[in-house]
Amino acid sequence: MSQDVSNHPVPEAFAKQANLTPEKYAEMYEASIKDPDGFWAEHGKRIEWMKPFTQVKDVSWDKDDLHVRWFADGTLNVTESCLDRQLETRGAKPAIIWEGDEPDDSHTLTYRQLYHAVCRFSNVLKEMGVKKGDRVTLYMPMIPEASMAMLACARIGAIHSVVFGGFSPEALAGRIVDCQSEFVITADEGVRGGRKVPLKENTDRACDLAKGMVKKVLVVERTGVGVEMKDGRDVWLHEVGAEVDDTCAPEPMNAEDPLFILYTSGSTGKPKGVLHTCGGYLVWASMTHEYVFDLKEDDVFWCSADVGWVTGHTYIVYGPLANGATSLMFEGVPTYPSPSRFWEVCDKHGVTIFYTAPTAIRALMREGDGPVKATDRSTLRLLGTVGEPINPEAWEWYFRTVGDSRCPIVDTWWQTETGGTMIVPLPGTTKMKSGAGSHPFFGVVPKLVDAEGEVLEGATQGNLIITGSWPGQMRTVYGDHERFVDTYFSAYPGNYFTGDGCRRDEDGFYWITGRVDDVINVSGHRMGTAEVESALVSHDAVAEAAVVGYPHDIKGQGIYAYVTTVQGVEPSDELKDLLQKHVRSEIGPIACPDLIQFAPGLPKTRSGKIMRRILRKIAEDSYDSLGDTSTLAEPEVVDELIDGRQNKA
Ligand code: ATP
Ligand code: MG
């Protein structure tokens, strides 16, 4: 299946009930571009303000005075939008449906219950000495207390920094020290896929490594395993929480006061402390959540990301709650106890909107249709994906097998830095092309440029930049404004550089082709990794593929492909030949991999993204300096790949 052939109209039944139409999208988009101040003055009111803003946008992307401010004279507390204002009409509505690691373990929290739990949590933090502006590090499993902890920080004006519960003590310590966080919130243990994660033990180790930085550790009881509590430092949530009030006045915050720091996942190097602020972020989170997911009052919305990623921040916690939606939170993994789990959870809780990542879709596709077809899924009406370009093959499978060709797919392109979705086929407004990010969200102006910064028009390929700010834009790298300026505004001064490559087709659809650093240049032809990888994945024998460039005497760069085969297919030289022929016929001789290495697994970040930076080193045969590998999910696969490398000197 080649890249552009799959065009899907909006499924008819969906179109009938969609909140948006193509005309409405065009009208709103135009308004957002022609008069951004007017547009955002209106939509900025969608959240709750203590003191309404009168200024809308104050932004300069001039590198000598670079600042991004939205609604800057307004005062608010984001938890008033997420909790207080929901009580009157939605007090008894489920805010969080929690599904535990084991299928018989689940419970629901209404908006009123969540409100009181967050207030208690806020009072506990105050008792511990947390004050407005303090950084609080969260190292939590996927339990409602993770959302509560974030909201409690926000309620008292503290800045949360969530560190994924799968990270090592070293990675945790590095992030604690980077933002000088004196407080940590964790649990005794986490539970994932039937396995225990020693969160408290890891926290103790991280506190040692952080050498006295951490003054207080708040511990949530998840499994009840005995953990050591350090006198004077460690406190149990259930003990202090029982003694405090269940109301807590929200701290008035300026719109531009920090809400959270979130370290990016580290696909490309040392993690950056991305800083988001209260007003603009919440407007963006709630607005994108409503429009991207065609939100209705009765929806059960499930974003399967971890709260440790920005996707979890925006689409498990802040977006859904600010919209008064029901947000499902899942503690486990897609394949435990069986590869039907995702779909069983959908059936159990009547999920209507499901949002996940290509890595999960590919992993489940590898198991065949059986585990999906064993379930009903009839409540689903919309599917979504985020995190990497989705291979058309995986898109088609998701659409047909999971969604029974009934549910549109929203392929949402965005970044930790952008706060929420930027490019997306808004459901009901456009035909869908499998694998295309498609169109800009309201207020977003994407452009493609060449290496010199020349803007490219029409059907073309280039580097993706955004001109003009949007409310959810990151404000700085915490403690390092210069790094913010350098990373995003020096390549194309006056514009935001995304770091991603992109193609625009004849219909004006945007296709993300992968990271610019990953672009391969074969005999002067520039190629995104996504295109070659998708060609490989479209072969029946291939489950997953990663492609990188390596130095080649004649062509400048050759193409090196790492290939994981589907269950039951053995790697062989014949298969290599077949795959080379396949890519040649799908894209052309120029894209044909020179070297193919069969790989039982690929190195990925903890959020499931392929780390091509490491694969490139192995392909270059220079693997002794792999750089920061602290965010790798399974470091073991790297050694195996080094052993089997195809380009030995
Ligand atoms: P780091 O910036 O530390 O290297 P990261 O870029 O992986 O880490 P995120 O902010 O989580 O951290 O990921 C954003 C990136 O993920 C985008 O720049 C893009 O490369 C990729 N991405 C996200 N969603 C999509 C999508 N729908 N289609 C294509 N690529 C996507
Ligand atoms: Mg990035």
Side-chain angles (χ1 to χ4, degrees), residues 60-173:
S60 160
W61 284 0
D62 176 357
K63 88 183 184 359
D64 298 319
D65 173 33
L66 201 136
H67 62 264
V68 178
R69 293 178 202 124
W70 284 85
F71 316 114
D73 64 345
T75 305
L76 78 162
N77 185 290
V78 301
T79 66
E80 284 201 309
S81 293
C82 297
L83 301 170
D84 306 57
R85 77 160 165 186
Q86 310 297 351
L87 295 182
E88 198 178 323
T89 57
R90 300 186 175 113
K93 178 177 176 174
I96 298 176
I97 297 175
W98 180 75
E99 167 79 10
D101 192 50
E102 294 298 333
D104 59 359
D105 196 8
S106 57
H107 66 258
T108 295
L109 280 152
T110 65
Y111 270 95
R112 190 169 308 282
Q113 289 168 327
L114 182 64
Y115 165 80
H116 287 298
V118 169
C119 285
R120 274 185 196 285
F121 213 125
S122 307
N123 289 324
V124 169
L125 294 181
K126 283 184 175 176
E127 293 256 307
M128 287 165 60
V130 181
K131 292 188 196 57
K132 181 173 179 173
D134 286 345
R135 279 79 52 217
V136 179
T137 300
L138 276 56
Y139 184 61
M140 297 283 281
M142 285 287 285
I143 54 178
E145 284 81 356
S147 306
M148 290 172 198
M150 291 164 71
L151 292 164
C153 288
R155 189 128 183 125
I156 66 170
I159 307 167
H160 60 73
S161 163
V162 183
V163 177
F164 174 54
F167 277 157
S168 65
E170 289 74 18
L172 174 59

Side-chain angles (χ1 to χ4, degrees), residues 40-370:
W40 290 114
E42 186 54 36
H43 290 283
K45 292 183 202 145
R46 60 179 295 120
I47 62 170
E48 211 53 31
W49 295 89
M50 291 171 167
K51 176 175 154 285
F53 58 88
T54 64
Q55 303 160 9
V56 178
K57 183 170 78 165
D58 168 14
V59 173
S60 160
W61 284 0
D62 176 357
K63 88 183 184 359
D64 298 319
D65 173 33
L66 201 136
H67 62 264
V68 178
R69 293 178 202 124
W70 284 85
F71 316 114
D73 64 345
T75 305
L76 78 162
N77 185 290
V78 301
T79 66
E80 284 201 309
S81 293
C82 297
L83 301 170
D84 306 57
R85 77 160 165 186
Q86 310 297 351
L87 295 182
E88 198 178 323
T89 57
R90 300 186 175 113
K93 178 177 176 174
I96 298 176
I97 297 175
W98 180 75
E99 167 79 10
D101 192 50
E102 294 298 333
D104 59 359
D105 196 8
S106 57
H107 66 258
T108 295
L109 280 152
T110 65
Y111 270 95
R112 190 169 308 282
Q113 289 168 327
L114 182 64
Y115 165 80
H116 287 298
V118 169
C119 285
R120 274 185 196 285
F121 213 125
S122 307
N123 289 324
V124 169
L125 294 181
K126 283 184 175 176
E127 293 256 307
M128 287 165 60
V130 181
K131 292 188 196 57
K132 181 173 179 173
D134 286 345
R135 279 79 52 217
V136 179
T137 300
L138 276 56
Y139 184 61
M140 297 283 281
M142 285 287 285
I143 54 178
E145 284 81 356
S147 306
M148 290 172 198
M150 291 164 71
L151 292 164
C153 288
R155 189 128 183 125
I156 66 170
I159 307 167
H160 60 73
S161 163
V162 183
V163 177
F164 174 54
F167 277 157
S168 65
E170 289 74 18
L172 174 59
R175 286 157 176 77
I176 288 172
V177 171
D178 187 83
C179 69
Q180 294 150 358
S181 163
E182 296 183 346
F183 305 94
V184 177
I185 306 175
T186 189
D188 50 1
E189 286 184 309
V191 191
R192 269 187 107 220
R195 290 205 296 241
K196 304 276 168 67
V197 188
L199 294 176
K200 175 62 168 64
E201 225 177 280
N202 289 352
T203 301
D204 290 341
R205 172 92 189 107
C207 289
D208 289 345
L209 291 167
K211 299 200 169 65
M213 171 71 69
V214 178
K215 303 278 185 296
K216 291 270 178 204
V217 177
L218 179 65
V219 189
V220 180
E221 189 175 57
R222 166 65 185 97
T223 64
V225 70
V227 293
E228 232 174 274
M229 297 293 277
K230 190 169 165 185
D231 242 7
R233 190 194 69 182
D234 301 348
V235 288
W236 285 108
L237 177 72
H238 61 268
E239 285 179 5
V240 190
E243 291 158 13
V244 295
D245 231 47
D246 70 354
T247 59
C248 172
E251 183 72 30
M253 305 290 283
N254 180 271
E256 284 303 329
D257 282 337
L259 176 61
F260 66 82
I261 300 164
L262 183 59
Y263 290 88
T264 54
S265 61
S267 313
T268 49
K270 181 176 180 279
K272 298 175 277 282
V274 170
L275 184 91
H276 282 287
T277 56
C278 296
Y281 171 78
L282 196 70
V283 168
W284 194 247
S286 68
M287 176 122 174
T288 53
H289 178 256
E290 177 183 336
Y291 286 96
V292 169
F293 297 106
D294 188 54
L295 191 68
K296 312 271 198 286
E297 188 61 41
D298 293 333
D299 274 315
V300 175
F301 176 81
W302 179 13
C303 164
S304 80
D306 193 279
V307 288
W309 315 126
V310 72
T311 307
H313 282 55
T314 304
Y315 298 120
I316 294 178
V317 183
Y318 290 112
L321 298 180
N323 291 335
T326 297
S327 179
L328 191 144
M329 179 186 236
F330 176 44
E331 186 180 37
V333 298
T335 47
Y336 179 84
S338 86
S340 290
R341 184 67 190 278
F342 266 179
W343 326 121
E344 286 165 1
V345 174
C346 288
D347 288 348
K348 176 174 171 187
H349 298 291
V351 172
T352 56
I353 306 168
F354 177 65
Y355 187 37
T356 194
T359 182
I361 298 166
R362 288 191 303 257
L364 294 172
M365 189 167 77
R366 225 183 148 180
E367 308 276 348
D369 292 3

Side-chain angles (χ1 to χ4, degrees), residues 298-479:
D298 293 333
D299 274 315
V300 175
F301 176 81
W302 179 13
C303 164
S304 80
D306 193 279
V307 288
W309 315 126
V310 72
T311 307
H313 282 55
T314 304
Y315 298 120
I316 294 178
V317 183
Y318 290 112
L321 298 180
N323 291 335
T326 297
S327 179
L328 191 144
M329 179 186 236
F330 176 44
E331 186 180 37
V333 298
T335 47
Y336 179 84
S338 86
S340 290
R341 184 67 190 278
F342 266 179
W343 326 121
E344 286 165 1
V345 174
C346 288
D347 288 348
K348 176 174 171 187
H349 298 291
V351 172
T352 56
I353 306 168
F354 177 65
Y355 187 37
T356 194
T359 182
I361 298 166
R362 288 191 303 257
L364 294 172
M365 189 167 77
R366 225 183 148 180
E367 308 276 348
D369 292 3
V372 186
K373 293 303 177 196
T375 63
D376 180 46
R377 288 160 289 105
S378 61
T379 53
L380 286 174
R381 65 177 185 90
L382 182 63
L383 300 171
T385 155
V386 61
E388 286 183 294
I390 179 166
N391 318 104
E393 190 77 7
W395 193 104
E396 293 289 337
W397 184 82
Y398 196 29
F399 183 73
R400 290 174 209 277
T401 307
V402 175
D404 292 323
S405 305
R406 177 185 72 239
C407 311
I409 294 180
V410 284
D411 177 357
T412 61
W413 174 85
W414 58 295
Q415 310 177 301
T416 310
E417 295 89 335
T418 69
T421 302
M422 299 288 279
I423 296 181
V424 56
L426 283 174
T429 73
T430 172
K431 68 177 175 183
M432 296 172 288
K433 301 190 183 194
S434 44
S438 307
H439 308 298
F441 190 75
F442 307 126
V444 175
V445 185
K447 292 217 160 98
L448 303 186
V449 292
D450 65 16
E452 281 69 50
E454 208 60 52
V455 173
L456 308 168
E457 305 291 346
T460 185
Q461 187 159 336
N463 295 346
L464 178 63
I465 62 169
I466 311 290
T467 67
S469 182
W470 62 98
Q473 186 179 14
M474 75 182 278
R475 303 305 198 244
T476 191
V477 171
Y478 186 79

